[in-house]
Amino acid sequence: ILHIDIDGVKVINDTVDNKAGDQLIIDVGNLIRDKIRDTDSVARLTGDKYGVLLDSCSLEMSCSIADNIRLAIHDMNFSWNNQVYDTSVCIGVAEMNADCESIQSAFAAAELAVNVAKEQGRNLVQVYQPGDTQLQRRKGEVHWVRSIQKALNQNGFELYSQMIQPIDDSSHTLHFEILLRMLDIDGTVIPPGKFLPAAERFRLMPLIDAWVIENSFKMLADAARYADVQDYIWTINLSGQSMNEPNLEESISSFVKQYQISPEMYCFEVTETVAVNNLKDAKRFMNILKDQGFLFALDDFGSGLSSFAYLKSLPVDYLKIDGSFIKGIVDDPFTEAIVKAINQVSQVRGLETIAEFVENSEIIRCIKDIGINYAQGYGISKPIPLSEQLNNLRLEKLRFVS
């Protein structure tokens, strides 16, 4: 079985014309048919993907046919409106023999192989080998992709929240970071570290972030009827993939209108690395939403490029110091000096600072002495379901850590 995935159809659809993308798919299908034997079969699977069944064909011959298809498509010179466009495909090859569990498993193997090929670049052929550790890793990720898609379609996610507590006299507003968990079929809570790597690899983060934003707005809008949720800051994480989505601002604005929320009570959190690697787009995105009243926090500061110069241009309100520094602050004078420097520069810039991974009273005492404004971690509060947090607000059961 060959699983053939055309590279770059979405780019042509977005930048040229949907009709051009359709014609490219047709031309590739015709070329594939010309390059296989009379005893073989080809079918369009979906979108820009084709499947080929090679009858009575050795693995060596299959690889030769796959490579001939790859080379022919690379040389086809697709043109549209007098403009020539580069074309290429990635092809996954999987053998069907007596060891195959089923047709479905053989096809899944070819799909895994093509995903590995796409990960490594364009214009490649990848053969499925059962002992290949990279393919086995991808097999696990494909499982998570299906689970993520099911969770998105059937409300299989649950929102959690973790308190971010003010620890100095100048800061008085409680913050809550909204976090994501997946629910297994038996109701077991699955932490994000299990499924988010697959979501990032398969570019599902924009869908997940949109789900989190909309459901956060909806839950807090509903809770506003019985609790003073507007007295707190609610923080929502944004991935780098979402930051690159062209219509994210419009989607957020539509959610604001739909749920009648106040932007001033929300803070979007982006990592330092994402912001710096996409500095121009990040600034544009932040400025658009800040004009609406939203706040921004720069997360994991110190873990990436860590240039204080970027703080001059990024319109952020809070800076979260990476937890790897905070965990070692009590016993390591050098780490303590780094945290002091980050806090000092941030305060001069007019930013409030948040310490992550605050796990005990010794760390709390140390960051208080430095002058950090907020603390977050198990020493303050563990994550709990957002519904439970909102109920606590209603019952006024919140307690501060001294």
Side-chain angles (χ1 to χ4, degrees):
I1 290 178
L2 307 183
H3 191 294
I4 302 174
D5 195 324
I6 309 171
D7 299 321
V9 172
K10 185 179 185 301
V11 174
I12 289 179
N13 284 338
D14 292 344
T15 61
V16 185
D17 191 319
N18 284 339
K19 292 181 180 179
D22 291 345
Q23 189 60 53
L24 173 59
I25 292 170
I26 292 170
D27 290 353
V28 168
N30 290 332
L31 192 149
I32 293 171
R33 187 170 53 191
D34 291 341
K35 292 297 177 181
I36 60 177
R37 304 166 303 172
D38 293 340
T39 55
D40 302 328
S41 304
V42 59
R44 184 182 177 203
L45 303 174
T46 181
D48 53 2
K49 297 174 176 59
Y50 283 95
V52 176
L53 179 63
L54 300 174
D55 182 51
S56 301
C57 188
S58 68
L59 184 59
E60 183 180 5
M61 176 64 74
S62 299
C63 292
S64 177
I65 293 173
D67 206 46
N68 286 338
I69 292 172
R70 178 189 66 82
L71 290 170
I73 292 171
H74 184 260
D75 296 335
M76 68 183 289
N77 294 323
F78 175 74
S79 62
W80 187 263
N81 289 340
N82 299 319
Q83 178 71 40
V84 177
Y85 298 92
D86 292 336
T87 53
S88 63
V89 292
C90 284
I91 304 177
V93 183
E95 190 173 11
M96 291 184 67
N97 53 34
D99 296 328
C100 289
E101 296 176 5
S102 64
I103 293 174
Q104 288 83 359
S105 66
F107 195 84
E111 185 178 13
L112 280 171
V114 80
N115 287 334
V116 170
K118 289 180 72 67
E119 180 181 317
Q120 294 174 342
R122 296 169 43 153
N123 195 34
L124 293 171
V125 173
Q126 174 73 43
V127 179
Y128 177 82
Q129 300 288 352
D132 192 317
T133 56
Q134 187 177 17
L135 285 165
Q136 293 305 313
R137 174 177 58 81
R138 290 303 296 267
K139 187 175 183 179
E141 291 179 345
V142 169
H143 159 74
W144 284 118
V145 167
R146 292 175 182 140
S147 298
I148 291 166
Q149 292 169 335
K150 183 177 179 181
L152 287 168
N153 295 327
Q154 301 179 15
N155 283 323
F157 288 123
E158 183 176 8
L159 294 177
Y160 271 56
S161 69
Q162 185 177 29
M163 184 192 302
I164 302 173
Q165 182 175 300
I167 57 171
D168 74 341
D169 295 335
S170 65
S171 305
H172 306 286
T173 304
L174 272 177
H175 294 215
F176 295 94
E177 181 175 355
I178 294 175
L179 306 167
L180 185 66
R181 303 291 186 264
M182 183 188 288
L183 298 178
D184 208 342
I185 192 169
D186 61 356
T188 303
V189 176
I190 302 172
K194 293 281 189 179
F195 60 88
L196 284 186
E200 291 171 350
R201 189 178 299 278
F202 286 87
R203 301 198 63 80
L204 294 175
M205 288 307 302
L207 294 175
I208 292 176
D209 287 349
W211 189 96
V212 171
I213 294 168
E214 181 174 13
N215 283 274
S216 299
F217 286 5
K218 183 178 186 299
M219 287 186 69
L220 290 167
D222 291 342
R225 299 196 304 268
Y226 60 78
D228 296 327
V229 295
Q230 70 278 359
D231 292 340
Y232 310 97
I233 300 297
W234 303 88
T235 299
I236 299 174
N237 290 280
L238 284 179
S239 67
Q241 292 176 16
S242 291
M243 292 278 286
N244 291 328
E245 285 289 295
N247 301 316
L248 179 60
E249 308 95 311
E250 289 84 349
S251 297
I252 293 173
S253 297
S254 69
F255 292 149
V256 170
K257 294 177 182 177
Q258 181 178 352
Y259 297 106
Q260 296 295 298
I261 63 100
S262 174
E264 291 78 9
M265 58 189 272
Y266 290 95
C267 177
F268 287 114
E269 195 171 289
V270 299
T271 65
E272 173 201 6
T273 303
V274 166
V276 171
N277 285 344
N278 305 275
L279 190 60
K280 182 179 179 181
D281 291 338
K283 287 169 61 178
R284 179 194 61 80
F285 174 81
M286 290 180 180
N287 283 322
I288 289 173
L289 290 185
K290 283 188 70 69
D291 287 343
Q292 298 180 31
F294 289 101
L295 302 169
F296 277 89
L298 194 61
D299 192 17
D300 296 340
F301 191 84
S303 65
L305 303 178
S306 305
S307 173
F308 289 122
Y310 293 113
L311 294 180
K312 295 173 64 176
S313 57
L314 286 171
V316 297
D317 305 278
Y318 303 97
L319 189 146
K320 297 186 76 172
I321 302 172
D322 186 70
S324 62
F325 294 112
I326 301 302
K327 287 192 296 185
I329 196 171
V330 175
D331 301 318
D332 186 349
F334 182 68
T335 298
E336 182 182 8
I338 292 173
V339 173
K340 283 182 178 178
I342 292 173
N343 184 69
Q344 183 178 8
V345 171
S346 300
Q347 301 294 343
V348 171
R349 174 70 175 80
L351 309 180
E352 291 193 290
T353 50
I354 302 170
E356 300 179 296
F357 288 30
V358 176
E359 297 175 348
N360 53 56
S361 58
E362 288 83 4
I363 293 177
I364 293 173
R365 184 168 55 252
C366 187
I367 61 176
K368 273 185 176 181
D369 291 342
I370 290 174
I372 290 172
N373 306 104
Y374 293 87
Q376 178 181 9
Y378 280 19
I380 302 296
S381 175
K382 292 183 179 181
I384 61 174
L386 180 58
S387 57
E388 182 180 334
Q389 194 77 267
L390 294 172
N391 191 52
N392 287 342
L393 293 179
R394 181 172 69 88
L395 300 175
E396 298 182 345
K397 287 186 177 179
L398 289 176
R399 295 291 182 267
F400 283 74
V401 177
S402 60

